[in-house]
Amino acid sequence: MSFTLAKTERLAAILAQAPVIPVLTFDDAASGVATAKALRDGGLPVLEVTLRTPKSLEALQAIVSEVEGVTIGAGTVLETEHVQAAIQAGAEFLVSPGVSSRLIAAGSEAPVPFLPGVATASEAMQLAERGANFAKFFPAGPAGGPAYLKALLAPLPNLHFVPTGGVDLANAPSYLALKNVVSVGGSWVAPADLIARGDWAGITALAREASKLKAR
């Protein structure tokens, strides 16, 4: 299956909303709602809720129902079953750390945009052959960082990336300066210790700082 123009355009619009997409993991719905509000108030309206905990889908659904002004995606989509479960919970886009033939088929057929993950030129080429214009670059730091993405620009000029994994406030500008990077993903804007303490003002402050970063 290939990636359709309509969903590609929708994904482009989502990724253009902010330079940083918070990558979030929740153990309960209440902390998910409070964190989402704090990030939104700090200027980061696009959120990725990872499917890594038993309460992740519950948290995602609660955010969709209770928090206005945000766009919620489901991250760590690893199985075809995750695709349907995330959509039923209200996810507006899907993100995977890597790709498989089954997952590409399920993701490209889903009614919401799909951001598949790559770590190598070969994986990126496979997505480009299927018509993908966007990919998650993961794990960005260990996989080669900004220099690696810069090297991919010439052979794959139509593929744009969202680097995630080892991205923080210090190195995010190096990624965002690249022509083939549209935004970055990171957990530094909502660290686990601030969520555990309920320091929503602290998270808003981190989000506000990150929202001032500029993509090329």
Side-chain angles (χ1 to χ4, degrees):
M1 298 298 294
S2 60
F3 295 80
T4 67
L5 178 60
K7 283 187 286 186
T8 296
E9 290 177 342
R10 173 57 182 152
L11 183 56
I14 291 171
L15 298 177
Q17 289 184 51
V20 177
I21 299 175
V23 179
L24 308 165
T25 302
F26 298 120
D27 292 318
D28 61 87
S31 63
V33 169
T35 302
K37 289 179 179 178
L39 291 166
R40 176 204 61 193
D41 293 347
L44 299 182
V46 180
L47 314 177
E48 176 188 333
V49 177
T50 64
L51 305 185
R52 298 178 185 173
T53 68
K55 296 290 186 178
S56 57
L57 287 171
E58 182 179 325
L60 191 157
Q61 190 169 31
I63 296 170
V64 171
S65 300
E66 301 178 34
V67 184
E68 295 183 356
V70 295
T71 302
I72 307 299
T76 319
V77 174
L78 304 176
E79 307 288 346
T80 56
E81 293 81 3
H82 290 165
V83 172
Q84 191 58 40
I87 292 169
Q88 288 178 346
E92 297 175 72
F93 64 100
L94 308 171
V95 186
S96 70
V99 291
S100 67
S101 56
R102 289 179 59 206
L103 192 57
I104 289 176
S108 61
E109 292 173 356
V112 300
F114 175 46
L115 182 67
V118 300
T120 68
S122 295
E123 293 169 345
M125 287 174 60
Q126 291 176 31
L127 289 181
E129 286 179 355
R130 293 173 179 264
N133 292 108
F134 298 96
K136 174 175 180 171
F137 181 54
F138 178 84
Y148 192 94
L149 288 179
K150 185 177 181 180
L152 291 182
L153 179 59
L156 296 168
N158 296 320
L159 193 59
H160 297 80
F161 297 92
V162 180
T164 307
V167 180
D168 56 27
L169 184 64
N171 62 27
S174 298
Y175 288 102
L176 292 169
L178 300 174
K179 293 181 179 179
N180 57 347
V181 170
V182 291
S183 58
V184 300
S187 58
W188 88 87
V189 290
D193 60 331
L194 294 192
I195 294 175
R197 295 203 305 265
D199 187 355
W200 315 125
I203 291 173
T204 295
L206 291 173
R208 188 171 292 115
E209 188 176 31
S211 71
K212 295 176 182 177
L213 297 170
K214 300 293 184 182
R216 186 178 173 88

